[in-house]
Structures are given as structure tokens and as C-alpha cells.
Amino acid sequence: MITKQQLKSRQTQEELMAAAILVFGKKGYTAATIAEITEAAGYAKGNFYRYWKSKDELFLDIMQARMQLHREERKLPLKAASTGEEALAVLVDFLEALIADDEWPKIFLEFTVQASGDQEVREKLNTHIYRLSSELFADILLPYAKDYEKLRKLGALVTALFEGYLIQRRMGSTVLDQRDLRAAILELGRPLFYPPPEKPRRS
């Protein structure tokens, strides 16, 4: 049974994470300080270090929470998918949901660039609990295709396309929109999947 103290601790942690998203959105990831985050949440700075050693650890926890939420939302649609294209469309929906908030992509890109210079953070960031890894992508789609390695490559390509699209959007480019991106990904995936099962003919 969860105690009142545990509930209070969890509430404090969630409030600090919510405040961090606001501060990151306003100041950018690099410029934001732990003191500004705790002040925005209404806590003393010491409360931060009860849960995290660094700003990077806090951000990874925020990413994990967002991923978990979207994973729960995609479970039923994936279960209902009957073809590879339908399952791939669910994964594209998932990625589009991750970038739907205008502030989040900006913070995510800044953090990703910074993380690339820290081997420990970079290795964590590449695991499936923080993003849709190539292996997880392939595992989800494998029931509909026979070549696991090609699915892994498709997963890496889809990630690269989405993150490249985020950069283009931040730069103000209007050449592509999400409909173009979605159509391109579905077209790339189509040759990898088994043909959809034939519907029984009416006699």
C-alpha cells in the first residue's frame, strides 16, 4: 500500500518535472538552471537533489514519462492492426503525438545535441525507454514482415526523417508538412510487409 509520504514525494517529483518543462520551454534547455526550476515549482533547491543528480537525469525522466504515456495510448491501435501498413501508421501516429507540442521538439533537439557530447547520457538516450529505438520498431513490425534487419533500418530511417523534419520546422521551412512525411514513410515500409490477407469471396 502506498503511504501518504510516498504520495507526497511523487507529487513533489511530478511538480518539479512540470515546472522544468515550462522553464525549458521559456529559456531553453542549456540556459535553464536547477534553481529556476525549483523556484518555479515552489520548492527549495535541495528538493531537486532528492530525486536527480543533474539536469540531464531530470530531462531523461521527463522523456521516459512522455514515452510511457504515448506507449499506453498506442497499445490498443497496435492490437487492432491487421497489416504491416496499419501497424506502421500507428507508429507514425505515435511519433506525431510526440512532436505535437510546439515547445517539446525545441527542447528535445537542444537536449539531443548536448547529450551527443556525453557518452553516458548518449547511451541512455539511445535505449527504447526514451525513444522509439530501431530494435523496438522492428520488434513491433516483425509479425508483418520477414526481414528483421530491414525493419531495423526502416526504424532508423523513420527516426532520422522525423528528427530532420523537426529541424526543418524550427528553421521555418514549409517545403514539407506532416502529411508529406507520413506518406513517404508508409511508402518506404510497404515493400517490406507481407501482402494483406485476402478477403473471402462471396459465393
Side-chain angles (χ1 to χ4, degrees):
M1 184 175 178
I2 300 176
T3 66
K4 288 183 178 180
Q5 182 60 36
Q6 288 172 324
L7 285 172
K8 176 62 178 173
S9 178
R10 182 59 186 165
Q11 179 182 347
T12 300
Q13 192 174 8
E14 289 175 350
E15 289 174 356
L16 285 165
M17 290 166 72
I21 293 172
L22 292 174
V23 175
F24 292 151
K26 182 178 180 181
K27 299 202 66 176
Y29 179 81
T30 304
T33 66
I34 291 170
E36 288 168 333
I37 292 167
T38 53
E39 182 180 354
Y43 290 103
K45 191 174 178 180
N47 286 84
F48 178 94
Y49 293 102
R50 290 175 56 196
Y51 306 104
W52 305 285
K53 293 179 183 178
S54 66
K55 196 168 61 170
D56 287 347
E57 280 194 2
L58 163 65
F59 193 80
L60 287 170
D61 272 2
I62 292 171
M63 286 187 68
Q64 184 176 356
R66 286 176 67 93
M67 286 291 288
Q68 184 59 38
L69 176 64
H70 289 299
R71 280 198 181 106
E72 291 300 319
E73 291 174 348
R74 80 174 185 229
K75 278 183 179 179
L76 286 178
L78 277 175
K79 191 174 180 180
S82 59
T83 67
E85 276 195 78
E86 289 176 2
L88 180 56
V90 173
L91 294 181
V92 174
D93 289 341
F94 164 71
L95 290 168
E96 288 178 338
L98 285 175
I99 66 172
D101 178 357
D102 283 340
E103 289 298 329
W104 179 256
K106 177 181 71 175
I107 304 165
F108 170 77
L109 289 171
E110 186 181 354
F111 177 77
T112 302
V113 170
Q114 177 171 307
S116 67
D118 185 316
Q119 183 177 350
E120 183 181 353
V121 177
R122 186 173 68 244
E123 288 175 356
K124 287 181 178 179
L125 188 58
N126 279 323
T127 60
H128 73 272
I129 63 171
Y130 301 115
R131 66 197 311 172
L132 184 62
S133 69
S134 297
E135 288 72 22
L136 180 59
F137 186 96
D139 289 343
I140 291 170
L141 294 177
L142 190 58
Y144 310 99
K146 60 182 178 181
D147 194 323
Y148 185 81
E149 193 57 32
K150 284 185 179 178
L151 289 175
R152 282 184 71 246
K153 289 179 179 179
L154 177 64
L157 183 57
V158 168
T159 299
L161 286 170
F162 259 94
E163 293 182 359
Y165 170 73
L166 291 182
I167 293 170
Q168 284 206 347
R169 195 171 73 169
R170 292 301 307 170
M171 297 296 290
S173 172
T174 58
V175 176
L176 295 174
D177 61 26
Q178 285 186 206
R179 289 173 299 179
D180 298 319
L181 191 62
R182 185 183 193 90
I185 290 169
L186 294 177
E187 187 64 30
L188 285 169
R190 190 171 292 119
L192 302 182
F193 301 129
Y194 297 124
E198 290 186 10
K199 293 180 181 180
R201 296 179 180 178
R202 294 181 180 177
S203 55

mmCIF file with all atom_site columns, all heavy atoms in Angstrom, residues 34-48:
data_model
loop_
_atom_site.group_PDB
_atom_site.id
_atom_site.type_symbol
_atom_site.label_atom_id
_atom_site.label_alt_id
_atom_site.label_comp_id
_atom_site.label_asym_id
_atom_site.label_entity_id
_atom_site.label_seq_id
_atom_site.pdbx_PDB_ins_code
_atom_site.Cartn_x
_atom_site.Cartn_y
_atom_site.Cartn_z
_atom_site.occupancy
_atom_site.B_iso_or_equiv
_atom_site.pdbx_formal_charge
_atom_site.auth_seq_id
_atom_site.auth_comp_id
_atom_site.auth_asym_id
_atom_site.auth_atom_id
_atom_site.pdbx_PDB_model_num
ATOM 1   N N   . ILE A 1 34 ? 18.810 24.760 -12.392 1.00 0.00 ? 34 ILE A N   1
ATOM 2   C CA  . ILE A 1 34 ? 18.077 23.985 -11.388 1.00 0.00 ? 34 ILE A CA  1
ATOM 3   C C   . ILE A 1 34 ? 17.372 24.916 -10.409 1.00 0.00 ? 34 ILE A C   1
ATOM 4   O O   . ILE A 1 34 ? 16.234 24.665 -10.008 1.00 0.00 ? 34 ILE A O   1
ATOM 5   C CB  . ILE A 1 34 ? 19.037 23.023 -10.665 1.00 0.00 ? 34 ILE A CB  1
ATOM 6   C CG1 . ILE A 1 34 ? 19.495 21.922 -11.630 1.00 0.00 ? 34 ILE A CG1 1
ATOM 7   C CG2 . ILE A 1 34 ? 18.379 22.412 -9.424  1.00 0.00 ? 34 ILE A CG2 1
ATOM 8   C CD1 . ILE A 1 34 ? 20.619 21.056 -11.116 1.00 0.00 ? 34 ILE A CD1 1
ATOM 9   N N   . ALA A 1 35 ? 18.027 26.012 -10.054 1.00 0.00 ? 35 ALA A N   1
ATOM 10  C CA  . ALA A 1 35 ? 17.411 26.979 -9.122  1.00 0.00 ? 35 ALA A CA  1
ATOM 11  C C   . ALA A 1 35 ? 16.133 27.557 -9.719  1.00 0.00 ? 35 ALA A C   1
ATOM 12  O O   . ALA A 1 35 ? 15.128 27.739 -9.005  1.00 0.00 ? 35 ALA A O   1
ATOM 13  C CB  . ALA A 1 35 ? 18.409 28.093 -8.815  1.00 0.00 ? 35 ALA A CB  1
ATOM 14  N N   . GLU A 1 36 ? 16.126 27.855 -11.016 1.00 0.00 ? 36 GLU A N   1
ATOM 15  C CA  . GLU A 1 36 ? 14.926 28.397 -11.670 1.00 0.00 ? 36 GLU A CA  1
ATOM 16  C C   . GLU A 1 36 ? 13.802 27.358 -11.701 1.00 0.00 ? 36 GLU A C   1
ATOM 17  O O   . GLU A 1 36 ? 12.625 27.701 -11.535 1.00 0.00 ? 36 GLU A O   1
ATOM 18  C CB  . GLU A 1 36 ? 15.272 28.849 -13.083 1.00 0.00 ? 36 GLU A CB  1
ATOM 19  C CG  . GLU A 1 36 ? 16.121 30.113 -13.119 1.00 0.00 ? 36 GLU A CG  1
ATOM 20  C CD  . GLU A 1 36 ? 16.687 30.394 -14.493 1.00 0.00 ? 36 GLU A CD  1
ATOM 21  O OE1 . GLU A 1 36 ? 16.892 29.441 -15.286 1.00 0.00 ? 36 GLU A OE1 1
ATOM 22  O OE2 . GLU A 1 36 ? 16.943 31.586 -14.786 1.00 0.00 ? 36 GLU A OE2 1
ATOM 23  N N   . ILE A 1 37 ? 14.174 26.106 -11.888 1.00 0.00 ? 37 ILE A N   1
ATOM 24  C CA  . ILE A 1 37 ? 13.164 25.040 -11.918 1.00 0.00 ? 37 ILE A CA  1
ATOM 25  C C   . ILE A 1 37 ? 12.522 24.873 -10.551 1.00 0.00 ? 37 ILE A C   1
ATOM 26  O O   . ILE A 1 37 ? 11.288 24.810 -10.433 1.00 0.00 ? 37 ILE A O   1
ATOM 27  C CB  . ILE A 1 37 ? 13.805 23.715 -12.388 1.00 0.00 ? 37 ILE A CB  1
ATOM 28  C CG1 . ILE A 1 37 ? 14.204 23.813 -13.862 1.00 0.00 ? 37 ILE A CG1 1
ATOM 29  C CG2 . ILE A 1 37 ? 12.853 22.535 -12.167 1.00 0.00 ? 37 ILE A CG2 1
ATOM 30  C CD1 . ILE A 1 37 ? 15.107 22.698 -14.348 1.00 0.00 ? 37 ILE A CD1 1
ATOM 31  N N   . THR A 1 38 ? 13.326 24.818 -9.505  1.00 0.00 ? 38 THR A N   1
ATOM 32  C CA  . THR A 1 38 ? 12.768 24.631 -8.160  1.00 0.00 ? 38 THR A CA  1
ATOM 33  C C   . THR A 1 38 ? 11.957 25.844 -7.721  1.00 0.00 ? 38 THR A C   1
ATOM 34  O O   . THR A 1 38 ? 10.917 25.709 -7.082  1.00 0.00 ? 38 THR A O   1
ATOM 35  C CB  . THR A 1 38 ? 13.888 24.346 -7.136  1.00 0.00 ? 38 THR A CB  1
ATOM 36  O OG1 . THR A 1 38 ? 14.894 25.373 -7.220  1.00 0.00 ? 38 THR A OG1 1
ATOM 37  C CG2 . THR A 1 38 ? 14.524 22.992 -7.404  1.00 0.00 ? 38 THR A CG2 1
ATOM 38  N N   . GLU A 1 39 ? 12.415 27.024 -8.115  1.00 0.00 ? 39 GLU A N   1
ATOM 39  C CA  . GLU A 1 39 ? 11.658 28.243 -7.775  1.00 0.00 ? 39 GLU A CA  1
ATOM 40  C C   . GLU A 1 39 ? 10.297 28.228 -8.474  1.00 0.00 ? 39 GLU A C   1
ATOM 41  O O   . GLU A 1 39 ? 9.275  28.573 -7.874  1.00 0.00 ? 39 GLU A O   1
ATOM 42  C CB  . GLU A 1 39 ? 12.452 29.475 -8.178  1.00 0.00 ? 39 GLU A CB  1
ATOM 43  C CG  . GLU A 1 39 ? 11.750 30.779 -7.811  1.00 0.00 ? 39 GLU A CG  1
ATOM 44  C CD  . GLU A 1 39 ? 12.546 32.008 -8.219  1.00 0.00 ? 39 GLU A CD  1
ATOM 45  O OE1 . GLU A 1 39 ? 13.701 31.854 -8.679  1.00 0.00 ? 39 GLU A OE1 1
ATOM 46  O OE2 . GLU A 1 39 ? 11.993 33.118 -8.092  1.00 0.00 ? 39 GLU A OE2 1
ATOM 47  N N   . ALA A 1 40 ? 10.281 27.833 -9.745  1.00 0.00 ? 40 ALA A N   1
ATOM 48  C CA  . ALA A 1 40 ? 9.024  27.785 -10.497 1.00 0.00 ? 40 ALA A CA  1
ATOM 49  C C   . ALA A 1 40 ? 8.057  26.766 -9.902  1.00 0.00 ? 40 ALA A C   1
ATOM 50  O O   . ALA A 1 40 ? 6.833  26.951 -9.961  1.00 0.00 ? 40 ALA A O   1
ATOM 51  C CB  . ALA A 1 40 ? 9.302  27.441 -11.956 1.00 0.00 ? 40 ALA A CB  1
ATOM 52  N N   . ALA A 1 41 ? 8.601  25.703 -9.313  1.00 0.00 ? 41 ALA A N   1
ATOM 53  C CA  . ALA A 1 41 ? 7.752  24.678 -8.702  1.00 0.00 ? 41 ALA A CA  1
ATOM 54  C C   . ALA A 1 41 ? 7.357  25.028 -7.271  1.00 0.00 ? 41 ALA A C   1
ATOM 55  O O   . ALA A 1 41 ? 6.474  24.389 -6.692  1.00 0.00 ? 41 ALA A O   1
ATOM 56  C CB  . ALA A 1 41 ? 8.471  23.332 -8.718  1.00 0.00 ? 41 ALA A CB  1
ATOM 57  N N   . GLY A 1 42 ? 8.017  26.026 -6.687  1.00 0.00 ? 42 GLY A N   1
ATOM 58  C CA  . GLY A 1 42 ? 7.713  26.429 -5.321  1.00 0.00 ? 42 GLY A CA  1
ATOM 59  C C   . GLY A 1 42 ? 8.408  25.599 -4.266  1.00 0.00 ? 42 GLY A C   1
ATOM 60  O O   . GLY A 1 42 ? 7.907  25.453 -3.145  1.00 0.00 ? 42 GLY A O   1
ATOM 61  N N   . TYR A 1 43 ? 9.600  25.076 -4.609  1.00 0.00 ? 43 TYR A N   1
ATOM 62  C CA  . TYR A 1 43 ? 10.350 24.244 -3.670  1.00 0.00 ? 43 TYR A CA  1
ATOM 63  C C   . TYR A 1 43 ? 11.751 24.802 -3.482  1.00 0.00 ? 43 TYR A C   1
ATOM 64  O O   . TYR A 1 43 ? 12.262 25.549 -4.325  1.00 0.00 ? 43 TYR A O   1
ATOM 65  C CB  . TYR A 1 43 ? 10.455 22.802 -4.184  1.00 0.00 ? 43 TYR A CB  1
ATOM 66  C CG  . TYR A 1 43 ? 9.153  22.048 -4.159  1.00 0.00 ? 43 TYR A CG  1
ATOM 67  C CD1 . TYR A 1 43 ? 8.432  21.841 -5.335  1.00 0.00 ? 43 TYR A CD1 1
ATOM 68  C CD2 . TYR A 1 43 ? 8.642  21.540 -2.971  1.00 0.00 ? 43 TYR A CD2 1
ATOM 69  C CE1 . TYR A 1 43 ? 7.236  21.147 -5.327  1.00 0.00 ? 43 TYR A CE1 1
ATOM 70  C CE2 . TYR A 1 43 ? 7.441  20.849 -2.956  1.00 0.00 ? 43 TYR A CE2 1
ATOM 71  C CZ  . TYR A 1 43 ? 6.744  20.654 -4.137  1.00 0.00 ? 43 TYR A CZ  1
ATOM 72  O OH  . TYR A 1 43 ? 5.550  19.975 -4.113  1.00 0.00 ? 43 TYR A OH  1
ATOM 73  N N   . ALA A 1 44 ? 12.379 24.399 -2.369  1.00 0.00 ? 44 ALA A N   1
ATOM 74  C CA  . ALA A 1 44 ? 13.777 24.747 -2.148  1.00 0.00 ? 44 ALA A CA  1
ATOM 75  C C   . ALA A 1 44 ? 14.654 23.910 -3.081  1.00 0.00 ? 44 ALA A C   1
ATOM 76  O O   . ALA A 1 44 ? 14.275 22.812 -3.503  1.00 0.00 ? 44 ALA A O   1
ATOM 77  C CB  . ALA A 1 44 ? 14.161 24.478 -0.693  1.00 0.00 ? 44 ALA A CB  1
ATOM 78  N N   . LYS A 1 45 ? 15.828 24.420 -3.388  1.00 0.00 ? 45 LYS A N   1
ATOM 79  C CA  . LYS A 1 45 ? 16.716 23.755 -4.341  1.00 0.00 ? 45 LYS A CA  1
ATOM 80  C C   . LYS A 1 45 ? 17.085 22.342 -3.895  1.00 0.00 ? 45 LYS A C   1
ATOM 81  O O   . LYS A 1 45 ? 17.266 21.446 -4.719  1.00 0.00 ? 45 LYS A O   1
ATOM 82  C CB  . LYS A 1 45 ? 17.977 24.596 -4.533  1.00 0.00 ? 45 LYS A CB  1
ATOM 83  C CG  . LYS A 1 45 ? 18.852 24.152 -5.691  1.00 0.00 ? 45 LYS A CG  1
ATOM 84  C CD  . LYS A 1 45 ? 20.007 25.122 -5.893  1.00 0.00 ? 45 LYS A CD  1
ATOM 85  C CE  . LYS A 1 45 ? 20.922 24.664 -7.016  1.00 0.00 ? 45 LYS A CE  1
ATOM 86  N NZ  . LYS A 1 45 ? 22.051 25.619 -7.214  1.00 0.00 ? 45 LYS A NZ  1
ATOM 87  N N   . GLY A 1 46 ? 17.169 22.146 -2.577  1.00 0.00 ? 46 GLY A N   1
ATOM 88  C CA  . GLY A 1 46 ? 17.538 20.833 -2.051  1.00 0.00 ? 46 GLY A CA  1
ATOM 89  C C   . GLY A 1 46 ? 16.565 19.737 -2.438  1.00 0.00 ? 46 GLY A C   1
ATOM 90  O O   . GLY A 1 46 ? 16.944 18.560 -2.525  1.00 0.00 ? 46 GLY A O   1
ATOM 91  N N   . ASN A 1 47 ? 15.309 20.097 -2.672  1.00 0.00 ? 47 ASN A N   1
ATOM 92  C CA  . ASN A 1 47 ? 14.319 19.087 -3.066  1.00 0.00 ? 47 ASN A CA  1
ATOM 93  C C   . ASN A 1 47 ? 14.683 18.430 -4.398  1.00 0.00 ? 47 ASN A C   1
ATOM 94  O O   . ASN A 1 47 ? 14.387 17.253 -4.608  1.00 0.00 ? 47 ASN A O   1
ATOM 95  C CB  . ASN A 1 47 ? 12.926 19.720 -3.189  1.00 0.00 ? 47 ASN A CB  1
ATOM 96  C CG  . ASN A 1 47 ? 12.315 20.031 -1.843  1.00 0.00 ? 47 ASN A CG  1
ATOM 97  O OD1 . ASN A 1 47 ? 12.602 21.086 -1.273  1.00 0.00 ? 47 ASN A OD1 1
ATOM 98  N ND2 . ASN A 1 47 ? 11.489 19.154 -1.335  1.00 0.00 ? 47 ASN A ND2 1
ATOM 99  N N   . PHE A 1 48 ? 15.300 19.197 -5.280  1.00 0.00 ? 48 PHE A N   1
ATOM 100 C CA  . PHE A 1 48 ? 15.684 18.650 -6.588  1.00 0.00 ? 48 PHE A CA  1
ATOM 101 C C   . PHE A 1 48 ? 16.608 17.452 -6.419  1.00 0.00 ? 48 PHE A C   1
ATOM 102 O O   . PHE A 1 48 ? 16.432 16.417 -7.072  1.00 0.00 ? 48 PHE A O   1
ATOM 103 C CB  . PHE A 1 48 ? 16.370 19.746 -7.413  1.00 0.00 ? 48 PHE A CB  1
ATOM 104 C CG  . PHE A 1 48 ? 16.858 19.278 -8.755  1.00 0.00 ? 48 PHE A CG  1
ATOM 105 C CD1 . PHE A 1 48 ? 16.064 19.433 -9.879  1.00 0.00 ? 48 PHE A CD1 1
ATOM 106 C CD2 . PHE A 1 48 ? 18.103 18.674 -8.906  1.00 0.00 ? 48 PHE A CD2 1
ATOM 107 C CE1 . PHE A 1 48 ? 16.507 19.000 -11.125 1.00 0.00 ? 48 PHE A CE1 1
ATOM 108 C CE2 . PHE A 1 48 ? 18.546 18.235 -10.138 1.00 0.00 ? 48 PHE A CE2 1
ATOM 109 C CZ  . PHE A 1 48 ? 17.744 18.392 -11.248 1.00 0.00 ? 48 PHE A CZ  1
#
